[in-house]
Amino acid sequence: MENLKIDIDADGIALITIDMPKRSMNVLNEGSIADYAEAVEKVIADETIKGAVVTSGKPSFIAGADLDWILSLAEADLPGEQRAINVYETVMKLQRIMRRTENGGKPFVAAVNGLALGGGLELCLACTRRIVADDPRIQLGLPEAKVGLLPGGGGTQRFARIMGPLKALPLLLEGRALSPAEALKLGIVDEIVPAADLVSRAKAWILSSKPEDWVKPWDQKGYKAPGDDPRTMEGSLAFSAANAMNRKKTFGNYPNLDAIQKAVYDGINVPLDTALRIESRYFATLMVSDVARNMVRTQFVNLQKANKLEGRPAEVAARKVTKLGVLGAGMMGAAIAHVAAKSGIPVIVIDRDQPSADKVLDHIRAASASDLAKGRTSQAAIDKLLALLTPTTDYSALSGAELVVEAVFEDSAIKADVTGKAEAVLGADAVFASNTSSIPISSLAEASSRPEQFVGIHFFSPVERMPLVEIIMGGKTGQAALALAMDFCRQIRKTPIVVNDGRFFYTSRVFATYTTEGCLMVQEGISPVLIENAGKMAGMPVAPLALCDEISLDLIYHINKQDAKDVGRGFPGSPAEALIERMIEKERRPGKKAGKGFYDYPADGHKRLWQGLADVATLRADQPEASALIERLLVIQALEAARCLEEGIVATPADADVGAYLGWGFAPWTGGPISYIDTIGAAKFVETCRTLEASCGPRFRPSESLVRMAESGERFYALRGAAEKAA
């Protein structure tokens, strides 16, 4: 068996050690499931074996199912019904194997030495007993809800039977991971022991146990699940309340959350074998649905590829940044220095004077204060972090740095000045990067004496929390600069996407269409309340006007004016720009940081829309349906993303979707703007664009490539096997 080994000791205890070759973590896929099934049957059939301990040969236990494998079944070039059947039969194979560890007549003890998520934890739940190493870093949970699925290896049914359906639902719906101590309190694990004693304790339990100890409660006659029965008045009310709360938060965009509740409700009062078939049917139906396939593809499969630096130049040797320079100690520069120092990189931070440079230390102290108060860090750890930072005005301190990131004011002249000063002291193979969010890299590289070593590294605010980094290739950027930028992202645990040069690049360009469309709606006389609700109902994390406030209206105003100046156009160039100009110049409402923008931010209460907006734009008598606004907000972003693909700004649909998901949280249920177009279909999407073009203007005109796709029936993401058939 390639993926595990079985060792039988003198006491007749089998040790099943799962250790998949050429993988950093174990997963459940076709091969590992087949091997596990063979091992389970061997233990059950061999009369000399008393029981089995199941553990891992890696630092983690099992990270979950291989979703790329499951996705390949769901995306096969077959009729949808056949795809669902294939997924159902595959999942049922796993369910039957897990039932064998419950009712095969011998004890199986999971000795969990590390992370066990999704199918990994479900495998443990089906074991007779679960013993976990005493390590608070271990995560145990069923996170499938986060990628549009439900647990498909018995998780919904065993969780509900272990702790009761109403306690289980929040964990299933949120996909939250638990520490061993939390899992013990809920009955998800049975025992916590020192890591060194894990296997020996599991073997000892098998030797001391009796056959009656091996029967799960739900396989005993007269079993009743703990907690309220959903068929009673109390249980029915609780389920109804849970459903209402779920709808309030998600607006029905995530069918998997409904399916989780249905699986628990339908399965809790029938025998487990029937319940597992119910769960598997729901899983298969979800897996072939657009929402689940898109979410799994973007948020799991393609995100993993990005984190593995799939697009990194293979011919360039890997490098580590051992000394980083950051130019500018403002909000972005200080935050970039912070994440680098947290990864153990010494950082030189340069600003125009020493008090300005020292602000990086204040930023880190302020950012660490909350964690210190909550016991998540110590003063010693903060002091160690601060010791890695050298704030100064002296550019010569940059000598020896492999990488310098410029994060000064968004002004080409200022950036050119600091570029020259830094390059004068840098080594021959050092790379200079700009954190610009809007100015073309090729333009900024004109100030460089070595443009092949000039690259864009665009961080997102707040840098400490936002996982995405946009690496921008200038016209002359070399492969060595690209490789180092990607290596640096991995070093600081960020996810990079690589984009080509162009004004506002990819994320800022597409993201701006969302806030701009919200402003245009205000100018059209649409109720701001309706606009904001439509943004939330579309699945965007923040409504468009609220997002403008968070970015800050004065920053948007500055960027709009700078863009007009740089490209030689008039200003304001649209009703949206005119609205922002009025909010700054006349109304003096610069955004959230000032306590007033499109919203008021009272110190003693929640934010509320500014009543004065009614004077800025008169409300129309005929207000549109929310569905029409939702469509506008999603379509304008998807259309701009498609244009970026057509223009070569972003190279692949996968990069476009991952960038949208991580960069500004584009409606996660869609899988990203490109997946959204595929879901609708190019023909229908182009038809919608043309309708919106007629009513809203030329910004909705479909691109040439979309029109061609509509005519040919082409997709951005081909079904697996379709390309081979076409060839």
Side-chain angles (χ1 to χ4, degrees), residues 393-663:
T393 61
D394 184 6
Y395 278 81
S396 67
L398 295 173
S399 178
E402 294 91 351
L403 177 67
V404 171
V405 179
E406 165 271 303
V408 300
F409 192 67
E410 202 76 342
D411 182 286
S412 298
I414 297 173
K415 291 179 183 293
D417 179 59
V418 301
T419 299
K421 290 177 178 176
E423 286 188 348
V425 299
L426 290 176
D429 62 348
V431 172
F432 188 95
S434 175
N435 181 53
T436 181
S437 61
S438 61
I439 305 174
I441 292 300
S442 298
S443 171
L444 293 176
E446 291 175 4
S448 172
S449 60
R450 42 189 183 184
E452 72 282 357
Q453 289 163 247
F454 195 106
V455 68
I457 301 183
H458 175 213
F459 289 84
F460 293 77
S461 183
V463 176
E464 286 90 348
R465 294 207 308 269
M466 295 295 283
L468 184 70
V469 171
E470 196 175 39
I471 297 176
I472 305 110
M473 296 288 286
K476 296 181 180 179
T477 303
Q479 294 298 290
L482 169 62
L484 180 62
M486 296 183 80
D487 291 342
F488 174 60
C489 288
R490 175 156 53 191
Q491 206 173 338
I492 61 173
R493 294 182 287 279
K494 298 291 185 184
T495 301
I497 62 166
V498 180
V499 304
N500 288 312
D501 207 6
R503 193 143 198 91
F504 299 106
F505 318 122
Y506 171 65
T507 52
S508 296
R509 173 175 161 180
V510 180
F511 162 73
T513 64
Y514 174 61
T515 52
T516 297
E517 200 65 24
C519 291
L520 289 170
M521 289 175 180
V522 171
Q523 293 287 61
E524 291 171 23
I526 298 173
S527 165
V529 173
L530 183 55
I531 295 167
E532 297 296 82
N533 284 338
K536 295 173 189 173
M537 293 169 72
M540 298 297 293
V542 184
L545 302 181
L547 191 53
C548 287
D549 275 4
E550 291 194 10
I551 297 168
S552 86
L553 303 185
D554 55 348
L555 177 59
I556 296 172
Y557 179 49
H558 167 76
I559 290 172
N560 289 343
K561 286 206 304 180
Q562 186 68 42
D563 180 60
K565 177 183 176 182
D566 290 347
V567 302
R569 64 172 175 83
F571 180 82
S574 71
E577 289 189 349
L579 175 62
I580 298 295
E581 180 183 41
R582 174 168 176 171
M583 292 293 287
I584 296 300
E585 296 292 351
K586 183 177 179 181
E587 308 298 344
R588 306 294 181 186
R589 300 182 66 86
K592 183 178 180 180
K593 66 181 182 181
K596 56 181 183 178
F598 285 123
Y599 284 76
D600 284 317
Y601 298 87
D604 58 347
H606 295 293
K607 69 181 182 185
R608 53 178 177 265
L609 277 163
W610 176 47
Q611 295 299 307
L613 274 177
D615 299 322
V616 173
T618 303
L619 292 182
R620 287 165 34 179
D622 58 323
Q623 291 291 314
E625 294 291 332
S627 58
L629 302 187
I630 292 169
E631 182 176 70
R632 275 178 65 176
L633 291 170
L634 293 177
V635 167
I636 193 63
Q637 296 177 79
L639 177 56
E640 196 66 22
R643 289 184 183 126
C644 287
L645 265 176
E646 183 173 331
E647 296 167 19
I649 298 298
V650 63
T652 67
D655 282 347
D657 281 344
V658 169
Y661 167 61
L662 294 182

